[in-house]
Amino acid sequence: MKINKVKDCLIIFVLVFFLFPQLVLAATTTVTSTTGFEQICNRDAGLASCIQKIYLLSLGLGSIVALLMIVLAGYSYMTAGGNAQQVESAKGSFESAFIGLIIIFVAFILLNLINPDLVRLRNFDRTLTLPEIRTGR
């Protein structure tokens, strides 16, 4: 019986001193969270710059993930210990990661060979001018 009262008092203590002040503070303070995306894509840089940065970031992240998968496949292959199923799984993972890495690099190289402007985007706001619309009057 005494343990239940101590437990109830402890629960009330936790609720009063830890939960309720946070609710009160949450109502009075304003927190502006920055995600870091504002530094990549801002209004001054333009849409083309934002797309180019996201494109290059995705190329880099895709390459890093593919290289990580190659390393993990190599580790799985080395620690297979003669298990044929694990060796085949590691070979399949290595093959898939290597093909993905090749696709990433070939896509970039082909886009650069076809037209270098496809991988080096310009700011459309400064280069694109819309035609003037004339009315029949």
Side-chain angles (χ1 to χ4, degrees):
M1 200 67 157
K2 190 173 184 179
I3 294 175
N4 287 338
K5 287 185 179 184
V6 171
K7 189 190 225 181
D8 290 341
C9 289
L10 185 62
I11 290 173
I12 291 172
F13 175 78
V14 168
L15 285 176
V16 169
F17 288 107
F18 291 113
L19 182 63
F20 293 136
Q22 295 298 326
L23 293 175
V24 172
L25 288 175
T28 58
T29 59
T30 57
V31 178
T32 57
S33 64
T34 57
T35 59
F37 188 73
E38 295 87 7
Q39 296 170 352
I40 294 174
C41 293
N42 55 15
R43 291 182 185 258
D44 298 333
L47 180 63
S49 174
C50 180
I51 292 172
Q52 181 182 18
K53 288 178 183 178
I54 291 173
Y55 171 69
L56 292 176
L57 180 71
S58 64
L59 281 178
L61 287 177
S63 300
I64 289 172
V65 167
L67 289 175
L68 179 68
M69 290 302 298
I70 289 173
V71 168
L72 290 176
Y75 179 77
S76 177
Y77 183 81
M78 288 188 305
T79 59
N83 186 355
Q85 184 179 5
Q86 192 174 359
V87 169
E88 289 302 317
S89 174
K91 284 182 180 179
S93 296
F94 177 78
E95 183 179 330
S96 298
F98 194 70
I99 289 172
L101 193 61
I102 289 172
I103 288 172
I104 289 172
F105 286 131
V106 167
F108 181 79
I109 290 170
L110 280 177
L111 284 176
N112 199 12
L113 283 175
I114 292 170
N115 187 359
D117 288 336
L118 293 175
V119 292
R120 286 183 233 128
L121 299 171
R122 316 172 274 190
N123 194 351
F124 298 128
D125 299 337
R126 296 184 187 137
T127 60
L128 181 66
T129 56
L130 296 175
E132 184 178 328
I133 298 175
R134 297 183 185 182
T135 59
R137 295 182 193 178

